[in-house]
Amino acid sequence: MIIGLTGENCAGKGTVAAYLQKKSFYYYSLSDAIREELARDGKDITRETLIAKGNELRVKLGADVLARRIMQKLQKDKNYVIDSIRNPHEAKALLELEDFTLVYVSAPSEMRFERMKSRNREGDPKTVDAFLTIDKLEIEGRDDKSQRLADVIALASKRIMNDAGFEILYERVDRLLGELSASFKQKRPNWDAYFMGIAKVVSLRSNCMKRHVAAIIVKDKRIVSTGYNGTPRGVRNCSEGGCSRCNNFAAAGTKLEECVCSHGEENAIVQAAYHGIAIKGGSIYTTFSPCLMCAKMIINSGITEVVYNVDYPIGERAMELLKEAGIIVRQHKVE
């Protein structure tokens, strides 16, 4: 879930962001990129310099530059809150993200001015009129590359009114999260995709020169054994010249009697036996459909289901044998 915050000055965006951080949201502000630029330039960080530098960056590098810089930092496995969205091009860039929601945090202008007075920052306007003048400039900005809050607010799909105490504000944020959680359910892989994905990772350990294959054996949704193709334990790796047949790149299906590499399914079954693990009644997930030799081992080991990713080039007879033996055979493709 990625929540973007926009709104007028002192509306309470920072308070909402801080509350979401307590709920394990990671925080970014579009103004962070501006602060980095000002620090590089050796300039003081004030409201005026932030606005000026932000406008300068948008002119030089595109109106959505601040959003694009933050988007490069986002990771799929985290929830984020992104503050200080002030230009419609920034908002539109972020709205391209699948799980992004733009939220407008608002409060009455008189209340916002009182909050500004309470924080007592140097450079803040001291009168209501001066405050409203600055407010209007930020809300109704005419320049395409400057702050244009009115256009950003128009893009927001959710609104939080911050016109009461903290507890009420937090309740409103919680209500918002409850609404969004129904829309942004975590996308979890199903069991087939999960186990086949793990099998593909296991195949990265293969040392075979011709193809990398792996298999995992699963019982009760628990991995009990893994195997990948390569030379036997204690024998020089295929990738180091251990198998002359693979290193000479023999044509598919030829000189198999010379190949010293064990197959992924074979190794998964043998490893289970080596460690005394029962695999009867289990399922085997393999990145290639089994060859004839591995099919016979699967049948005799008591495995009841084979799930494979892609077809083995010479695996037709093996598939026939598995089905004749009553083994469930399914294909589940993953990239």
Side-chain angles (χ1 to χ4, degrees), residues 5 66 87 91 118 133 205 212-213 217 222 226 231 239 246 263 301 309 314 319 335:
L5 301 178
L66 303 180
N87 180 280
S118 297
T133 298
R205 283 286 302 167
H212 292 181
V213 183
I217 300 173
R222 184 171 65 91
T226 67
T231 51
S239 57
C246 290
H263 289 191
S301 70
N309 186 28
I314 53 172
M319 297 293 275
E335 295 299 325

Side-chain angles (χ1 to χ4, degrees), residues 225-236:
S225 183
T226 67
Y228 51 85
N229 62 328
T231 51
R233 182 184 285 111
V235 175
R236 188 164 41 137

Side-chain angles (χ1 to χ4, degrees), residues 75-191:
Q75 300 174 19
K76 276 287 186 182
D77 59 345
K78 295 181 174 68
N79 293 325
Y80 292 96
V81 55
I82 301 174
D83 195 4
S84 301
I85 303 168
R86 299 178 177 276
N87 180 280
H89 293 283
E90 296 166 351
K92 288 174 182 177
L94 290 163
L95 283 165
E96 294 174 10
L97 297 170
E98 182 181 1
D99 296 333
F100 181 81
T101 301
L102 182 59
V103 179
Y104 170 35
V105 182
S106 64
S109 56
E110 299 84 358
M111 189 173 289
R112 292 189 292 108
F113 177 63
E114 291 301 320
R115 290 172 184 163
M116 178 174 280
K117 284 202 315 185
S118 297
R119 74 185 188 184
N120 195 30
R121 288 183 187 171
E122 187 177 348
D124 280 345
K126 304 303 180 186
T127 66
V128 174
D129 288 343
F131 174 77
L132 293 177
T133 298
I134 293 173
D135 225 24
K136 186 175 182 180
L137 289 172
E138 294 183 4
I139 293 169
E140 301 176 0
R142 302 298 180 193
D143 187 344
D144 190 53
K145 306 291 195 303
S146 67
Q147 296 191 27
R148 292 166 52 195
L149 278 177
D151 292 338
V152 178
I153 290 166
L155 295 170
S157 59
K158 299 289 183 180
R159 179 179 180 179
I160 294 176
M161 176 60 75
N162 181 21
D163 58 355
F166 288 125
E167 292 305 315
I168 293 176
L169 174 63
Y170 297 156
E171 286 176 9
R172 291 170 179 171
V173 175
D174 288 340
R175 193 179 307 126
L176 171 71
L177 291 176
E179 293 171 4
L180 296 182
S181 63
S183 302
F184 297 116
K185 290 182 179 177
Q186 183 181 5
K187 296 175 180 63
R188 302 173 66 197
N190 62 29
W191 287 111

Side-chain angles (χ1 to χ4, degrees), residues 275-332:
H275 294 286
I277 299 169
I279 57 175
K280 181 181 178 181
S283 299
I284 189 165
Y285 285 79
T286 178
T287 56
F288 279 82
S289 61
C291 70
L292 184 58
M293 179 189 69
C294 289
K296 292 186 286 185
M297 293 185 70
I298 288 168
I299 294 167
N300 286 339
S301 70
I303 287 173
T304 57
E305 181 182 45
V306 173
V307 186
Y308 68 95
N309 186 28
V310 295
D311 291 298
Y312 182 59
I314 53 172
E316 296 90 349
R317 183 67 186 106
M319 297 293 275
E320 292 171 0
L321 194 65
L322 288 168
K323 291 173 182 177
E324 182 183 343
I327 307 296
I328 298 169
V329 180
R330 298 187 292 112
Q331 183 175 27
H332 182 85

Side-chain angles (χ1 to χ4, degrees), residues 235-249:
V235 175
R236 188 164 41 137
N237 286 336
C238 180
S239 57
E240 297 169 341
C243 178
S244 59
R245 187 254 177 186
C246 290
N247 279 269
N248 290 328
F249 290 94

